[in-house]
């Protein structure tokens, strides 16, 4: 079928709108889609510029042709074999874009800012991986395939290497924050959501602030720690080796005062579990509460005259 700008009578249009609405409602944040531009690109063409990469202030949504055709077949009541799995990919792809577009400022373009761009992609993909099943009933995808009939909600991400690196990075952040239960789905959802809500150019610095003791670092050490974190995450994506992202967090935190590190890592000296959590509950550790992403405070509606959704 045709590539290019989707018309308003195309099934993809209302379907995409429902996904953006679900993301906006869940994050309680502005999503920088004007509610007009939705582009289908050829499957063999990767995003090459700021518009396709969804890193402009009022960005279109972009969907590969194969996935758009899946939505169109469901709209016509003519799905074929393999379409349920493709619908999951299409929904995840669009949901991840909408999550990325809920950041307070437009994301960085590649080149010198590629490490920030990769982190942008990875955070949005991880957020989607953790939210896809929950948000599915709020989208038109549920009309095509009811949530209890979806074979698998597996979504590797728009940028699988960045998604895997971001997940590994968040796992290590939580481990560095103190002993406790292993990182769970709520931790990934809350932490990725909180970092998406941070200005893109400040995210690596925010990650450092999440590590115990980094507020005591000198300015030169803080700068070097951020560079190490940035370079390590870039290497993890380029080499498709997620463990390098965790190594980068450990390298950055290695500059913390050794005595403070002993207090953080020694279970006998660890602080008690947070109020309201048992020692065995997910998240029962010294990690801070991340507000604003786990609960829906209001139902934002579209605000297309303002160039976006609120």
């Amino acid at each position: 079928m045709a590539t290019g700008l989707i018309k308003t009578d195309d099934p993809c249009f209302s379907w995409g709108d429902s996904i953006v609405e679900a993301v906006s409602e869940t994050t309680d944040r502005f999503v920088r889609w004007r509610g007009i531009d939705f582009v289908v690109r050829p499957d063999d063409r990767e995003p090459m510029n700021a518009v396709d990469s969804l890193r402009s202030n009022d960005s279109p949504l972009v969907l590969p042709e194969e996935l758009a055709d899946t939505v169109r077949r469901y709209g016509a009541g003519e799905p074929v074999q393999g379409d349920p799995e493709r619908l999951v990919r299409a929904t995840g792809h669009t949901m991840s874009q909408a999550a990325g577009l809920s950041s307070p400022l437009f994301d960085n373009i590649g080149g010198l800012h590629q490490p920030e761009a990769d982190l942008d992609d990875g955070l949005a993909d991880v957020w989607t991986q953790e939210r896809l099943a929950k948000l599915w009933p709020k989208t038109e995808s549920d009309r095509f395939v009811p949530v209890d009939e979806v074979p698998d909600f597996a979504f590797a991400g728009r940028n699988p290497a960045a998604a895997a690196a971001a997940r590994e990075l968040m796992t290590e952040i939580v481990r560095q924050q103190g002993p406790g239960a292993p990182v769970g789905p709520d931790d990934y959802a809350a932490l990725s959501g909180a970092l998406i809500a941070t200005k893109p150019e400040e995210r690596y610095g925010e990650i450092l602030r999440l590590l115990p003791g980094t507020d005591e670092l000198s300015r030169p050490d803080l700068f070097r720690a951020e560079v190490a974190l940035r370079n390590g995450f870039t290497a993890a994506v380029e080499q498709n080796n997620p463990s390098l992202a965790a190594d980068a967090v450990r390298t950055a935190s290695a500059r913390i005062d050794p005595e403070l590190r002993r207090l953080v890592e020694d279970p006998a000296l660890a602080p008690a579990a947070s109020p309201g959590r048992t020692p065995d509950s997910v998240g029962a550790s010294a990690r801070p509460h991340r507000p604003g992403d786990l609960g829906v405070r209001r139902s934002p509606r579209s605000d297309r005259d303002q160039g976006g959704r609120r």
Side-chain angles (χ1 to χ4, degrees):
M1 293 186 182
T3 58
L5 190 65
I6 290 176
K7 296 181 180 179
T8 56
D9 60 352
D10 190 309
C12 292
F13 191 90
S14 62
W15 169 84
D17 183 81
S18 73
I19 293 172
V20 171
E21 187 69 23
V23 171
S24 179
E25 180 179 296
T26 302
T27 62
D28 195 17
R29 289 198 300 270
F30 178 87
V31 175
R32 295 186 316 279
W33 180 53
R34 294 188 301 159
I36 300 174
D37 300 329
F38 198 168
V39 179
V40 175
R41 64 168 172 81
D43 295 326
D44 59 355
R45 182 170 68 82
E46 293 299 319
M48 294 295 292
N49 56 47
V51 172
D52 277 357
S53 298
L54 301 178
R55 297 187 179 105
S56 56
N57 201 26
D58 291 319
S59 180
L61 296 175
V62 181
L63 193 63
E65 186 176 15
E66 176 192 25
L67 301 183
D69 287 347
T70 297
V71 176
R72 289 163 171 161
R73 284 193 293 271
Y74 272 111
E78 302 172 349
V80 299
Q81 185 176 5
D83 272 352
E85 292 79 9
R86 281 186 287 269
L87 183 63
V88 170
R89 286 168 48 206
T91 306
H93 188 99
T94 305
M95 191 175 293
S96 177
Q97 292 175 80
L101 289 170
S102 72
S103 63
L105 294 174
F106 57 89
D107 296 338
N108 295 285
I109 303 170
L112 292 175
H113 298 291
Q114 191 60 44
E116 285 76 17
D118 287 337
L119 184 57
D120 296 339
D121 289 345
L123 291 172
D125 282 344
V126 171
W127 188 91
T128 299
Q129 289 167 352
E130 298 302 332
R131 292 296 196 192
L132 186 54
K134 181 177 180 179
L135 268 62
W136 187 275
K138 299 182 179 183
T139 73
E140 287 192 5
S141 293
D142 191 65
R143 180 166 62 86
F144 299 147
V145 181
V147 65
D148 57 357
E149 296 179 13
V150 175
D152 191 348
F153 283 102
F155 172 62
R158 289 180 296 138
N159 187 338
R167 184 172 287 272
E168 192 74 14
L169 176 130
M170 284 185 269
T171 300
E172 184 60 22
I173 288 172
V174 174
R175 194 193 75 79
Q176 291 284 337
Q177 288 178 338
V183 60
D186 283 349
D187 297 296
Y188 289 121
L191 189 50
S192 59
L195 290 171
I196 289 171
T198 302
K199 293 179 181 179
E201 69 274 13
E202 297 177 0
R203 286 179 188 149
Y204 283 105
E206 176 63 18
I207 290 170
L208 285 180
R209 284 188 286 274
L210 291 172
L211 301 178
T214 50
D215 56 339
E216 302 295 329
L217 292 177
S218 67
R219 187 176 296 274
D221 273 349
L222 195 61
F223 174 76
R224 284 190 285 269
E226 185 169 342
V227 169
L229 184 63
R230 191 174 185 268
N231 291 344
F233 187 84
T234 299
V237 175
E238 290 178 346
Q239 299 177 34
N240 197 17
N241 184 352
S243 66
L244 295 179
D247 291 344
V249 176
R250 287 190 286 268
T251 298
S253 63
R255 298 181 180 278
I256 301 172
D257 179 79
E259 180 64 18
L260 177 59
R261 173 168 295 283
R262 187 181 71 84
L263 294 174
V264 171
E265 294 183 345
D266 188 342
L269 301 174
S274 303
R277 289 173 170 167
T278 66
D280 296 325
S281 67
V282 171
S285 75
R287 55 182 170 271
H289 175 63
R290 306 300 305 181
D293 189 58
L294 295 180
V296 178
R297 295 190 294 278
R298 62 182 178 85
S299 178
R301 307 304 302 173
S302 63
D303 187 8
R304 296 177 182 174
D305 292 339
Q306 299 298 319
R309 303 176 71 86
R310 297 186 186 278

